Amino acid sequence: MLADITITDLGVIHHATAELSTGLTVLTGETGAGKTMVVTGLRLLAGSRADASRVRTGADKAVVEGSFLADELSTGAQQAVAELVESGGGAADENGEYLVARTLSAQGRSKAHLGGRSVPAAKLAEFSSYVLAIHGQNDQLRLLAPEQQRAALDRYAPENARLLQNYQQHYREWKKLQRDLKVRTESRRELAQEVDRLQFAIDEIEQIAPEPGEDEQLIQRIRRLQDVDSLREQAMAALTAIDGPEAAGGEDGFTETDPASTLLGQAESAVRDSEDPQLAAIADKLGEITTQLGEISAELGGFLGELPADPDELEASLQRQHELKTLTRKYAPTISEVITWKDEASVRLSSIDTSAQALEELQKQVKVAEKDMRAAASELTAARRSAAVELEKAVTAEIQGLAMPKARLEVAVREIAPSDYGADEVELLLAPNDAARAQPLSTAASGGELSRVMLALEVIISAGTTGATMVFDEVDAGVGGRAAVEIGRRLARLAVHNQVIVVTHLPQVAAYADTHLHVAKEVTDETVTSGVLTLDHEQRVEELARMLAGLDDTATGRAHAAELLEKASRDKQQR
């Protein structure tokens, strides 16, 4: 349910805040006062498209903020809402409310926030699908679309959702196999050529048999092989200087000067036995240097031992590098990626089978999948037809109570070619009486009748829901008299387990409100400003009297308004 809403610089509304409660809330006010902007604000919170022209003239941006409670929704819906908000990084506040905000700049950019986190507007639409439903005159027109009529029937019968999901799984599997068969049949030659190309590439890679990272290792080895003579000379010179010509395997370049290890050992021996603390410390340092020099000598010996001695190894390495470059030119930039490409090609190759036997097997799979799909479609159609009988009876009873005493609604379920939503179409038909033939809503219903049919549908379909917020924007347009009273009564009944917000011009509807909000407009020479006020009992009497053809300043008008309120109160006590 919507706990409160704050609107800033949207249309004629400079700043308005309204706290809402459970039950039926009505918004009334003069034409142009800004009632529509309240609904526009709710639509923005529901993720609808943002229109920069809605920003109040002279303002930089418009802001709409709302707080929603989900504690009266079903357990499954509460969990779904919590997971949805958490997926966007948001959370409920300390009151357990989910804060929703939408900011619209005068330049046309908009921002959305859910649970304290910035989210795409589409995330608000997903959130609102659980907590908020808006019905306006445009929604009435959408009711004329076949897909909306089918959706209304499926909403009435929740079991249809499971059957539809089951059908869609079979339908999509059938379509997938059907597409695969078509591709294989029509592209058999191309697939055979692809098989040859893949097999050639895999054979070539396997014949060279590269190892992961081998190309990078070869670069380093070739560099060493190209510099092996200078590297050997440098290492031998260093080792000779440390340990003498014998350690380096000869006397080339050796002078009569003793090697560094000998001279360093002599220096250490000269001060090792000294009793002077400073010389003793120097002896220790010389000992450490001697140890390090020994380690360096060992490393130089190891380096010399690892240097390649085979004169043909450089040529072999260059040849290997050429083979690897053949692969990296064709298949991927590096050898590791070449190996990955080969693995993926092997998987693709195993999935392609152009033989007659494979096509025959695929044809069998298509037939089995089609049989399963049609069985699921038949089950869904049967459920829809059964629900259609119940829905048309229930809605007919409702619309006959809405000043259409002889009208009859029919819900036709007709077989069509399988689609993503079943193998049937749903159409709502309306007949003015039992003798007349039912016609499609688009041709049989006037604007007022369409409003009543939509309200009747919502009353019936929402009978099992709780905790949702339903907004009706002038669905009573074109209605008056007894029908208006009946609309008020049904909206009040719908509000027993849900929060219902209604924008109305009819006093008969407004009289049934549990909370009455009045949108007032103030016009000056330079600005037009609207605000929202919660009316007390006396203010409600005055407002209803105004709505009764402007009778707010007459005793007769106020008496009539008070009578309306008293009658509506008695009706609500009996619900």
Side-chain angles (χ1 to χ4, degrees):
M1 119 175 174
L2 179 64
D4 58 66
I5 184 172
T6 300
I7 299 175
T8 304
D9 290 330
L10 185 68
V12 296
I13 299 178
H14 173 54
H15 182 79
T17 298
E19 292 187 4
L20 297 108
S21 58
T22 57
L24 176 61
T25 297
V26 299
L27 278 80
T28 63
E30 296 282 2
T31 300
K35 302 186 299 299
T36 300
M37 285 301 103
V38 176
V39 178
T40 298
L42 289 171
R43 290 189 184 277
L44 286 172
L45 293 183
S48 66
R49 187 180 68 86
D51 184 355
S53 66
R54 298 294 191 181
V55 178
R56 180 177 169 81
T57 302
D60 294 329
K61 62 183 180 180
V63 180
V64 183
E65 299 173 297
S67 299
F68 289 87
L69 282 165
D71 53 359
E72 292 187 11
L73 297 176
S74 66
T75 303
Q78 289 185 43
Q79 183 177 354
V81 166
E83 291 176 354
L84 175 65
V85 175
E86 289 172 4
S87 70
D93 66 7
E94 63 275 10
N95 298 318
E97 298 176 355
Y98 295 102
L99 303 181
V100 182
R102 191 82 180 274
T103 303
L104 172 61
S105 74
Q107 290 72 38
R109 299 188 63 185
S110 72
K111 294 182 179 179
H113 289 81
L114 175 61
R117 295 288 185 177
S118 178
V119 296
K123 185 72 83 171
L124 294 190
E126 193 175 351
F127 173 80
S128 69
S129 67
Y130 292 100
V131 298
L132 180 63
I134 301 177
H135 305 279
Q137 294 179 359
N138 289 336
D139 301 278
Q140 295 176 30
L141 297 177
R142 283 201 295 271
L143 182 61
L144 301 178
E147 62 272 14
Q148 293 294 326
Q149 297 181 5
R150 184 200 62 244
L153 177 60
D154 286 345
R155 281 180 58 207
Y156 174 69
E159 173 65 13
N160 286 7
R162 182 190 65 80
L163 296 176
L164 177 59
Q165 185 179 23
N166 177 60
Y167 163 80
Q168 287 175 333
Q169 290 176 349
H170 289 295
Y171 175 78
R172 290 164 187 168
E173 177 65 17
W174 171 60
K175 294 296 287 186
K176 174 179 172 294
L177 291 171
Q178 199 176 47
R179 285 193 299 270
D180 192 13
L181 177 61
K182 182 178 180 181
V183 168
R184 293 197 185 198
T185 302
E186 295 179 352
S187 308
R188 193 172 181 182
R189 179 178 299 174
E190 289 80 359
L191 289 173
Q193 293 172 350
E194 183 182 0
V195 167
D196 289 342
R197 289 194 299 269
L198 289 174
Q199 189 63 62
F200 176 83
I202 292 170
D203 290 343
E204 183 179 27
I205 296 172
E206 289 180 344
Q207 184 176 1
I208 295 176
E211 296 291 335
E214 186 181 356
D215 48 346
E216 297 175 359
Q217 296 170 5
L218 265 177
I219 292 173
Q220 298 176 3
R221 184 158 188 82
I222 288 171
R223 285 175 182 170
R224 176 169 287 188
L225 286 167
Q226 290 171 335
D227 299 334
V228 67
D229 292 337
S230 60
L231 293 174
R232 182 178 288 109
E233 182 179 344
Q234 293 166 357
M236 288 182 67
L239 188 58
T240 299
I242 294 173
D243 290 338
E246 294 83 359
E251 298 185 2
D252 293 343
F254 178 68
T255 67
E256 293 182 357
T257 304
D258 291 332
S261 58
T262 300
L263 295 175
L264 194 59
Q266 291 173 357
E268 181 185 3
S269 298
V271 295
R272 173 58 63 190
D273 297 331
S274 175
E275 295 181 359
D276 184 83
Q278 189 173 357
L279 286 178
I282 291 173
D284 291 339
K285 292 180 180 179
L286 287 169
E288 293 175 2
I289 295 173
T290 301
T291 301
Q292 292 178 359
L293 197 61
E295 293 173 353
I296 293 172
S297 174
E299 289 182 18
L300 284 170
F303 179 80
L304 283 167
E306 292 174 357
L307 284 176
D310 185 354
D312 298 328
E313 188 171 351
L314 176 59
E315 182 63 29
S317 296
L318 290 171
Q319 179 62 33
R320 179 63 175 173
Q321 186 180 53
H322 176 73
E323 293 176 348
L324 297 183
K325 284 183 176 179
T326 300
L327 301 181
T328 55
R329 280 197 305 269
K330 289 184 178 181
Y331 305 113
T334 68
I335 286 301
S336 295
E337 291 173 300
V338 168
I339 294 172
T340 300
W341 185 92
K342 188 205 77 167
D343 293 339
E344 293 174 351
S346 297
V347 173
R348 169 62 178 162
L349 184 61
S350 65
S351 68
I352 301 176
D353 188 347
T354 58
S355 65
Q357 182 179 0
L359 288 177
E360 184 179 345
E361 178 61 30
L362 186 54
Q363 287 173 341
K364 292 179 180 178
Q365 292 177 18
V366 170
K367 289 181 180 179
V368 171
E370 182 179 5
K371 182 179 178 182
D372 292 341
M373 178 273 296
R374 292 195 178 278
S378 296
E379 188 177 7
L380 176 60
T381 299
R384 281 174 171 166
R385 285 177 174 164
S386 176
V389 173
E390 298 177 9
L391 180 62
E392 63 186 21
K393 289 180 180 178
V395 175
T396 294
E398 282 295 320
I399 60 176
Q400 287 181 352
L402 289 170
M404 297 171 65
K406 302 296 184 179
R408 180 180 80 257
L409 184 82
E410 293 183 7
V411 183
V413 180
R414 304 187 187 95
E415 184 177 350
I416 60 172
S419 69
D420 200 41
Y421 291 95
D424 39 59
E425 66 176 3
V426 176
E427 185 176 26
L428 301 182
L429 308 169
L430 185 67
N433 52 55
D434 289 338
R437 180 181 177 184
Q439 299 291 334
L441 282 180
S442 57
T443 58
S446 64
E449 289 172 336
L450 189 58
S451 296
R452 281 173 270 178
V453 170
M454 191 184 77
L455 177 59
L457 273 170
E458 195 61 48
V459 168
I460 297 301
I461 292 172
S462 302
T465 63
T466 59
T469 296
M470 302 178 188
V471 181
F472 294 89
D473 182 16
E474 298 187 8
V475 294
D476 50 17
V479 178
R482 180 66 181 172
V485 174
E486 293 299 332
I487 287 176
R489 181 179 290 126
R490 278 155 177 78
L491 288 169
R493 192 174 78 195
L494 189 59
V496 172
H497 300 294
N498 298 279
Q499 180 187 48
V500 178
I501 301 172
V502 181
V503 177
T504 183
H505 288 288
L506 296 179
Q508 298 95 324
V509 174
Y512 280 86
D514 299 304
T515 302
H516 192 149
L517 303 179
H518 181 248
V519 183
K521 179 171 64 175
E522 180 181 349
V523 182
T524 68
D525 291 339
E526 297 181 353
T527 62
V528 178
T529 304
S530 290
V532 181
L533 175 67
T534 302
L535 304 184
D536 59 23
H537 180 76
E538 290 303 318
Q539 291 170 325
R540 288 190 69 189
V541 171
E542 291 183 11
E543 173 63 5
L544 291 179
R546 179 197 67 79
M547 298 171 73
L548 288 164
L551 300 176
D552 53 321
D553 58 348
T554 68
T556 302
R558 286 191 291 273
H560 191 182
E563 183 182 358
L564 264 180
L565 279 175
E566 183 180 353
K567 182 178 185 303
S569 178
R570 289 198 304 269
D571 279 355
K572 289 193 293 184
Q573 290 174 2
Q574 296 172 1
R575 66 189 179 188

